[in-house]
Structures are given as structure tokens and as C-alpha cells.
Amino acid sequence: MASQLLLPTNKFTNSSLDKVFVTGDDLTLKRKPNHATRVSYGFSLRANAALISSHRSSVEVPRQWYNLVADLSVKPPPQLHPKTFEPIKPDDLTHLFPNEIIKQEETLERFIDIPEEVLEIYKLWRPTPLIRAKRLEKLLQTPARIYFKYEGGSPAGSHKPNSAVPQAYYNAKEGVKNVVTETGAGQWGSSLAFASSLFGLDCEVFQVAHTYQQKPYRRLMMQTWGAKVHRSPSELTEAGRRILQADPSSTGSLGIAISEAVEVASRNEDTKYCLGSVFNHVLLHQTVIGEECIKQMEEYGETPDVIIGCTGGGSNFAGLSFPYIREKLKGKINPIIRAVEPSACPSLTKGVYAYDFGDTAGLTPLMKMHTLGHDFIPSPIHSGGLRYHGMAPLVSHIYDQGFMEAISIPQTECFQGAIQFARTEGIIPAPEPTHAIAATIREALRCKETGEAKVILMAMCGHGHFDLASYEKYLRGELVDLSFSEEKIQESLSKVPLVV
């Protein structure tokens, strides 16, 4: 059920505050002993800077990534070769990835050390703040306590550099000269462009046509960091030409852009492919989010009852939730873990769990995942990063095993929640995490009805400074909910390979 749009008044009272007092443009922190993590009210940049600075002194950047596969009693199904349907061997991936990335994709080790060179770059923005959303709580009049882990302070403005930096590092270390990738909303493309610039790599990006036009400043951001950016589908690849021949006005999809990038990497020996979601090594790198968050929540003396994150390919969601699933498997905690996807691209809630290609042209390995069919082209919703036909195989596996649940929410409710969040917490979210915000508001309002004082932890994976055209449409009343066609999905699912 959509929540009622509530707007805060200008009057601020401090009746519930015992740690933070705001006077004019200054922030004074009164601390409880051994309680270093702070509450943000979004009043001023000075206040926010002070909060983040004090936060960073209390929690260190994790020195290891966590591999959830090591702790699963039922291991996820293997990837299959796209031609033979036999389990993938490491040699089958060498034309796409550097050796260290291939090892991380297949490893059963529980923890992987983060290279010092990567740690030094992480420290440009990590650790990222965990913030209690007290003003949003007050607006909703809920007894729930809402926390959000904010990843928007990275150079690219999202969680994506958490994996872009190590991928660029490993490629450069092995002597690779060029990397190629796809991007939906532009967050991954800008992150890889940033990371490539640090390690002296040439970077080529295929950006989904819809966001190539909709978000020109993301494109300019990539170009500023030295990347070459193409509208996808393009005339540069066989995969792109095939799509354009069938539909010259194609808005593109992540699946199509992946096909183009993989094709370029496959035909050039000096080029490797990087991707920002779906594969195990990407989810592995993102676990720095959850590892930090566990320690930060401990400083609050809190344990989350509900953990919420948006899902497109699954990297942001996995980054926060996987370390908590580890603690859940140990019997230490038992939170509800909830993925939220767009109603117009509902792979978890409406897709089938089957082997399918990760791209439209069928060039990637076959992966067992929740899929809408590899040639499904989602409606051009404003959450470009969530317009993917499938889901990370490891996220799909733990969903199938019952470790998490999933819901879908339409984009108008998401932007409604984003406005509430921006006008209370001061951060304008990217369209992707607005799904998590909307689900968090639903949960908080249920707590209001039941009187439960649940602790809700939300993944806030990036800011929306390059998405203001979407906000303009919403504020003008021009944003509409887009749905999927059952007939279209069934047609797409009919082309999913039959793997016995």
C-alpha cells in the first residue's frame, strides 16, 4: 500500500534528542561513553561534514572481503559454458577477466585480503556513514528506528567504486591496457572510468540508450575521467547492429549493453571485460558495506530487525546483506532481509529460477538465476540501474533457499518516498535506492499501526544529483507507473535455454 505523502513543518523540537543539539549553523555533539557513531539531521553542510569526520575516526575500513558461498551448506549451481552447457572452467573466462578475478569468482575461501593499493583508494571515501534518520521517523510518527548506510560520498556518488577499484587494480597488475564495460544509470560506468584513470587504463563504456539521452552529465562524468562512451545499442558491434535492425528506436537494456561490451573484449586480446553487478566477485567486493555496518550498528547498541535494499543485478543489496546473513547463519541474529525491485522489471518476484544468459546476445556464461528472459527489454523507468532481466546468481540462490524475501514497488511510490526522505534527511537519493526508501516507509508505517519499535536498516547506495530531470517529472505530475506485459515476458521466457 502506498504511503501518504507527509511533509515536515519548519518548526523543529529537540524533545527526543539526547545526543545532538543544533544552534544556527553549528553542530554540537554530546556523546555517551563508547558511542562514537552519530545522528545526522541534514541541517547544514558543516553539520554533515562534522558528522562524517567524527564517524570515520571510529570505524576502520575492512581489510578483507567476505565470501558468503563459504558458509552456505548448499552451494549455488555452477555457471555453464554458453555452447557446451558444461560447467565453466577457469580457462573459459581468461578472454574476459584477469586471473585474480577468475579466482575470486570461483573461490570457496571465507575471506579475501584487500590489497593495500585498493585500501588506500577506498580511504578516499570509506568508511561511509551510518546515519539514524530521526527526522524521517518524526515525520512518519513511527516508533521504528530507521538507519541508513550511505554510499553516496564516493567520487562517483554511489557504491559502485567498491568493485571498480579492485577490478581496475587487478587488470593493471596483470598488464591489461584496455577495459570495456556496460552501464545502465551511468553509476557503474563512471565508477570504472574513475578507477581506470587511477591505474592508467583506457576505458570504453556502452551506455544504455535511454540513460545516454536522459543523463548526459553521467556521460560527461565518464568522459572527464577519460572514458570513451557509446550509446547502446550501437553500430559498433554485431550484437548492437542486430538489435537496431529489428528496432531502430530501441531504448536499449543492460542485457544489450553487456553483449556489446563482451563482444569487444572477446575480439581484442589487449582488452578485458569489467562488470558492475551479478557475478560473485562483484558481490564479494561490495561486502565492505556490510562489514562496516555491523561494527557501526554495534556502536549504536542496535541489532537490525529488518534489512532493506534495492535490487537490479544485486551488488548493493548483497554488499549490505551478505555479512548479516553470515551472522544469521551463526544464530546470532535473525533479521528479515528484504529485496525491493521495480514493478516494471520484477525478476525476483515474477521471473523464473532457471539457467539463462547474462546478456541479450547469449555471449556470457549460462547462470542459474531469477530471470525474465535474456531478450526481455524493460520499460524505460527512471531507475536505469535496475533495468536488468536477471538477478545475481548468488542472490537468486539465497532467495531460493529462503534466506531473504522480495517485493516490487512502482516508481511513483518510490519518488514519493524520495521526496519525504530528501525533505527530512537532506539527501536527494538516486532513483535506484528510492525503492528501498519506499519499502522502509511501508515498514515504518506498519510499526506505527502495531506499535512495534523495530530497527530498520536501509541501503542508501547513492545520490541523485544527476537524476534531477526525473524529480522534475515527478514534481510536475508527469511521472507515471510503467508496467510489464505478461505476454512480453512469456515470449521472452520461451527463449530461455533448456538445461537438463
Side-chain angles (χ1 to χ4, degrees):
M1 181 178 68
S3 58
Q4 182 182 0
L5 180 60
L6 304 172
L7 299 179
T9 63
N10 290 327
K11 184 177 180 181
F12 174 70
T13 61
N14 65 356
S15 58
S16 63
L17 306 184
D18 60 350
K19 306 180 195 69
V20 180
F21 298 88
V22 179
T23 306
D25 201 36
D26 295 319
L27 179 69
T28 302
L29 298 176
K30 293 196 173 181
R31 307 179 181 181
K32 289 183 177 180
N34 300 317
H35 198 289
T37 311
R38 302 292 161 249
V39 177
S40 170
Y41 287 88
F43 275 98
S44 68
L45 290 175
R46 186 188 306 174
N48 197 45
L51 178 137
I52 293 174
S53 177
S54 65
H55 165 83
R56 284 183 171 174
S57 65
S58 62
V59 174
E60 293 184 355
V61 179
R63 302 191 68 84
Q64 293 180 312
W65 295 303
Y66 167 64
N67 178 25
L68 177 62
V69 177
D71 288 323
L72 295 176
S73 58
V74 179
K75 304 302 182 187
Q79 298 178 19
L80 304 181
H81 194 284
K83 294 181 179 178
T84 66
F85 287 14
E86 294 295 322
I88 280 283
K89 300 174 183 177
D91 287 348
D92 296 327
L93 298 174
T94 54
H95 66 293
L96 293 178
F97 305 123
N99 292 326
E100 185 58 34
I101 289 294
I102 295 172
K103 290 178 185 177
Q104 291 180 7
E105 185 64 25
E106 302 294 333
T107 186
L108 294 178
E109 292 183 31
R110 182 169 286 106
F111 293 100
I112 306 296
D113 290 339
I114 302 174
E116 287 296 328
E117 295 90 338
V118 173
L119 280 171
E120 286 305 308
I121 297 173
Y122 274 178
K123 289 175 184 177
L124 292 173
W125 71 93
R126 305 209 69 86
T128 59
L130 175 70
I131 303 172
R132 173 131 178 228
K134 275 200 169 184
R135 287 176 64 81
L136 180 61
E137 294 169 12
K138 182 181 177 182
L139 171 68
L140 300 174
Q141 298 180 330
T142 178
R145 299 189 295 283
I146 301 171
Y147 296 86
F148 63 96
K149 179 68 166 161
Y150 182 51
E151 292 291 304
S154 75
S158 76
H159 67 294
K160 293 293 188 178
N162 297 334
S163 186
V165 171
Q167 288 191 54
Y169 166 76
Y170 290 124
N171 274 288
K173 187 178 180 181
E174 294 187 21
V176 174
K177 303 299 182 185
N178 311 300
V179 292
V180 62
T181 194
E182 74 291 327
T183 193
Q187 293 176 349
W188 169 247
S190 54
S191 297
L192 188 62
F194 156 70
S196 296
S197 72
L198 298 180
F199 291 104
L201 298 171
D202 288 333
C203 180
E204 189 172 4
V205 182
F206 287 87
Q207 185 174 10
V208 174
H210 174 63
T211 54
Y212 184 90
Q213 299 301 132
Q214 185 190 66
K215 301 178 182 181
Y217 295 109
R218 276 284 173 193
R219 183 173 74 250
L220 288 167
M221 196 176 192
M222 292 181 251
Q223 292 168 337
T224 298
W225 275 316
K228 184 185 297 182
V229 187
H230 310 294
R231 181 189 184 277
S232 174
S234 74
E235 295 283 355
L236 300 172
T237 65
E238 182 181 341
R241 290 190 293 271
R242 191 183 307 124
I243 294 294
L244 290 173
Q245 186 175 9
D247 181 9
S249 61
S250 172
T251 57
S253 70
L254 274 170
I256 295 170
I258 291 171
S259 293
E260 296 205 86
V262 169
E263 182 179 326
V264 169
S266 298
R267 71 189 186 202
N268 293 282
E269 291 186 4
D270 62 351
T271 302
K272 297 294 185 184
Y273 172 61
C274 298
L275 76 166
S277 195
V278 180
F279 274 49
N280 289 357
H281 66 270
V282 182
L283 277 54
L284 173 82
H285 300 155
Q286 293 294 348
T287 58
V288 292
I289 302 172
E291 294 289 13
E292 283 178 6
C293 196
I294 286 173
K295 294 179 180 179
Q296 292 166 326
M297 289 294 283
E298 287 174 352
E299 289 185 340
Y300 268 108
E302 297 272 43
T303 300
D305 298 301
V306 185
I307 299 171
I308 297 173
C310 66
T311 47
S315 64
N316 149 72
F317 174 80
L320 179 63
S321 67
F322 279 10
Y324 278 102
I325 292 176
R326 176 189 66 219
E327 302 305 301
K328 187 173 183 175
L329 289 170
K330 291 178 179 178
K332 293 183 177 181
I333 57 175
N334 191 31
I336 294 170
I337 299 174
R338 183 174 299 145
V340 193
E341 58 187 4
S343 295
C345 192
S347 59
L348 283 171
T349 56
K350 296 292 184 180
V352 298
Y353 186 41
Y355 271 102
D356 197 8
F357 297 105
D359 70 311
T360 301
L363 301 177
T364 69
L366 285 160
M367 300 172 283
K368 192 165 187 183
M369 60 182 176
H370 287 83
T371 178
L372 299 169
H374 59 273
D375 64 352
F376 177 77
I377 299 179
S379 299
I381 56 173
H382 288 270
S383 299
L386 306 186
R387 293 180 68 241
Y388 183 58
H389 68 273
M391 182 55 59
L394 190 49
V395 173
S396 290
H397 180 65
I398 63 170
Y399 182 49
D400 184 65
Q401 293 291 306
F403 291 113
M404 53 170 281
E405 61 186 43
I407 62 173
S408 64
I409 299 181
Q411 66 178 354
T412 53
E413 181 182 346
C414 295
F415 272 87
Q416 174 181 297
I419 295 295
Q420 291 174 288
F421 187 85
R423 294 181 184 179
T424 52
E425 296 306 314
I427 296 170
I428 298 174
E432 289 76 20
T434 64
H435 293 74
I437 292 169
T440 295
I441 290 174
R442 285 187 182 184
E443 186 68 31
L445 291 177
R446 278 194 289 269
C447 289
K448 180 180 177 180
E449 293 175 0
T450 64
E452 295 174 280
K454 289 183 179 179
V455 176
I456 305 171
L457 174 60
M458 178 184 73
M460 242 296 286
C461 58
H463 67 67
H465 299 170
F466 297 103
D467 303 283
L468 294 178
S470 301
Y471 280 89
E472 182 180 30
K473 278 196 171 184
Y474 177 79
L475 293 170
R476 286 181 174 178
E478 297 172 358
L479 194 71
V480 297
D481 288 328
L482 300 172
S483 61
F484 59 90
S485 163
E486 287 283 0
E487 182 180 348
K488 184 179 176 182
I489 287 183
Q490 291 307 314
E491 180 184 354
S492 182
L493 289 175
S494 69
K495 300 174 184 176
V496 171
L498 295 176
V499 178
V500 179

